[in-house]
Amino acid sequence: MASAIHTAIIPLLLYFAQICWCNQPSSTIKINYREKEKQVLDQILGPSSYDARIRPSGVNQTDGPAVVRVNIFVRSISKIDDVTMEYSVQLTFREQWLDERLKFNDFGGKIKYLTLTEANRVWMPDLFFSNEKEGRFHNIIMPNVYIRIFPYGSVLYSIRISLTLSCPMNLKLYPLDRQVCSLRMASYGWTTDDLVFLWKEGDPVQVVKNLHLPRFTLEKFLTDYCNSKTNTGEYSCLKVDLLFKREFSYYLIQIYIPCCMLVIVSWVSFWLDQSAVSARVSLGVTTLLTMATQTSGIDASLPPVSYTKAIDVWTGVCLTFVFGALLEFALVNYASRSDMHRDQMQKQRRQCELEHAASLEAAADLLQDGGTNFPMKPLVRSGDQTLEKMRQCKVHMQQPHRPNCCRSWLSKFPTRSKRIDVISRITFPLVFALFNLTYWSTYLFRDESDGE
């Protein structure tokens, strides 16, 4: 009896439980929206409803060109190479366009967007970087790329890439120059009748805040359009110009100050004695070779251009001053030997005059001892009177000398070699200071457009 009652109650309980479950509100039923995303993707990207080979329609489903808005985020700029005239940049590149074929039901806002990682599933703009030399994608740990499809048909494509781009430079003002490096993006196959690129409104280019550049500073950047016309039509193009200013402190420490020190060291030879030949020659040759090595090292870090750079003017003049100091010692050595030769000739002339005067006196004494009146005495007296008159005439003909401070100061140094050293001690620093004044006033306050 009890078993029969038990078997009759169990079906009733199951029946009531089923009724209660069916009467529950639909909001408490859990829906797997990830499964819904799969169903939506299969629906909108099915072969019967979507073809990635066909471009989207224009604005408001017209037959006009598809509009693609672009923005970039500069993550880092690793190097700016003067020799190869290129720069390397890592950026996040984004494109956004409207493809109304991809509209879908968002289930009351539950599906904000659909995410894809395969770019070949949807139509993509044929954009390329026209001044690119090398480029690579980032695939660690997963490919750094995604495509988001929004309910109203908008498509967002984002990818992280590293590029090495060409940057033609004008180095006439190097290292006091500024360089403009461009990033150009253009359509490869679609003309402006089918595809138009536009910068995203608001803030199309963003740069990371803690951007660090070796030997450069990013001053500003400008966005512009650069559409190009060819035989096959007009193609849409975007560009961003990055204005870089070269950090001068590095070159001041590495180039300008060492060159100044070498030039000043070469002037030490002016204060050495002219007889210290080995010391002056060693100093001049050493500074000349060091300056030449410095110049060759600077030239090795720059491309061989046909025009003269600001650094070429500086190193050339410094090398000329060092070489001039070495030539100055050669002139001093020649003047010293000339002074010695002149002194020896004067001593020989004086000795000959003394010997001649002694022989004349001896002859006169012999004539007086002989007691004969020789008719040459009156002639000698008359000759003496004639010479005396000529000296008086010369004295009267000489003009009075005006006092000259330079000559009086140089007269303190009896030899020409000493005078050359003294003049060089003053002339070389003054000329070098004048060159510095001209150089810095010319290149520091020179307009950038003058160097183009």
Side-chain angles (χ1 to χ4, degrees), residues 92-106:
T92 298
F93 174 75
R94 303 186 186 96
E95 294 176 309
Q96 194 166 6
W97 65 94
L98 182 63
D99 193 344
E100 296 185 355
R101 297 173 296 175
L102 299 176
K103 289 182 177 179
F104 62 90
N105 181 16
D106 61 352

Side-chain angles (χ1 to χ4, degrees), residues 9-193:
I9 292 175
I10 291 176
L12 290 174
L13 293 175
L14 293 175
Y15 175 75
F16 284 114
Q18 186 177 3
I19 292 175
C20 292
W21 177 262
C22 293
N23 291 333
Q24 284 184 352
S26 59
S27 59
T28 60
I29 301 175
K30 294 184 179 179
I31 300 176
N32 188 354
Y33 289 103
R34 305 289 78 77
E35 184 66 24
K36 294 294 183 181
E37 289 183 6
K38 176 182 178 304
Q39 295 176 5
V40 171
L41 286 174
D42 293 338
Q43 178 184 356
I44 64 176
L45 297 179
S48 60
S49 59
Y50 187 84
D51 192 346
R53 298 173 298 176
I54 308 300
R55 72 168 180 87
S57 301
V59 180
N60 297 326
Q61 294 184 346
T62 61
D63 197 30
V67 178
V68 178
R69 298 192 177 273
V70 177
N71 73 302
I72 59 176
F73 175 69
V74 179
R75 293 181 173 272
S76 65
I77 300 176
S78 58
K79 70 171 182 178
I80 302 176
D81 197 337
D82 298 317
V83 178
T84 57
M85 292 193 179
E86 63 185 21
Y87 71 104
S88 299
V89 60
Q90 182 186 130
L91 51 88
T92 298
F93 174 75
R94 303 186 186 96
E95 294 176 309
Q96 194 166 6
W97 65 94
L98 182 63
D99 193 344
E100 296 185 355
R101 297 173 296 175
L102 299 176
K103 289 182 177 179
F104 62 90
N105 181 16
D106 61 352
F107 295 94
K110 296 296 183 181
I111 301 178
K112 294 182 178 180
Y113 53 81
L114 303 174
T115 302
L116 297 177
T117 57
E118 299 176 0
N120 57 357
R121 297 291 303 274
V122 297
W123 176 86
M124 291 291 299
D126 60 343
L127 182 142
F128 76 105
F129 297 93
S130 59
N131 60 334
E132 172 209 351
K133 287 187 175 182
E134 294 180 1
R136 67 182 181 89
F137 301 109
H138 294 265
N139 297 319
I140 299 176
I141 299 176
M142 293 294 292
N144 298 164
V145 58
Y146 67 80
I147 299 175
R148 290 178 179 175
I149 303 174
F150 294 89
Y152 51 91
S154 178
V155 182
L156 173 63
Y157 174 73
S158 177
I159 187 171
R160 186 166 73 100
I161 53 179
S162 292
L163 300 171
T164 299
L165 303 166
S166 173
C167 179
M169 298 181 182
N170 188 346
L171 300 174
K172 288 185 178 180
L173 302 181
Y174 176 91
L176 302 168
D177 58 335
R178 288 179 172 85
Q179 300 298 336
V180 178
C181 295
S182 299
L183 175 63
R184 295 174 177 265
M185 300 160 285
S187 173
Y188 188 80
W190 298 97
T191 63
T192 53
D193 295 332

Side-chain angles (χ1 to χ4, degrees), residues 195-226:
L195 178 63
V196 173
F197 290 111
L198 298 176
W199 285 111
K200 184 180 179 181
E201 297 178 357
D203 194 7
V205 178
Q206 299 174 338
V207 181
V208 65
K209 293 183 179 179
N210 56 347
L211 180 64
H212 177 70
L213 298 175
R215 290 185 283 183
F216 280 93
T217 300
L218 179 61
E219 286 192 331
K220 60 181 179 179
F221 50 87
L222 302 172
T223 57
D224 200 357
Y225 296 90
C226 54

Side-chain angles (χ1 to χ4, degrees), residues 386-441:
T386 304
L387 292 173
E388 184 66 23
K389 289 180 180 180
M390 291 176 65
R391 292 193 187 97
Q392 291 177 359
C393 291
K394 288 182 180 180
V395 170
H396 289 296
M397 291 174 63
Q398 289 179 355
Q399 297 179 357
H401 293 286
R402 295 179 180 179
N404 193 325
C405 58
C406 294
R407 289 183 180 179
S408 60
W409 178 67
L410 290 176
S411 62
K412 298 179 181 179
F413 309 99
T415 60
R416 288 185 298 175
S417 58
K418 191 64 176 178
R419 292 175 185 175
I420 294 173
D421 272 340
V422 172
I423 294 174
S424 299
R425 294 173 189 174
I426 301 174
T427 305
F428 273 73
L430 285 179
V431 175
F432 189 67
L434 180 62
F435 161 72
N436 273 270
L437 180 62
T438 305
Y439 180 87
W440 297 114
S441 60

Side-chain angles (χ1 to χ4, degrees), residues 269-288:
S269 63
F270 304 154
W271 300 87
L272 297 179
D273 190 76
Q274 59 189 11
S275 61
V277 178
S278 59
R280 298 187 68 162
V281 170
S282 300
L283 182 62
V285 172
T286 302
T287 52
L288 183 62

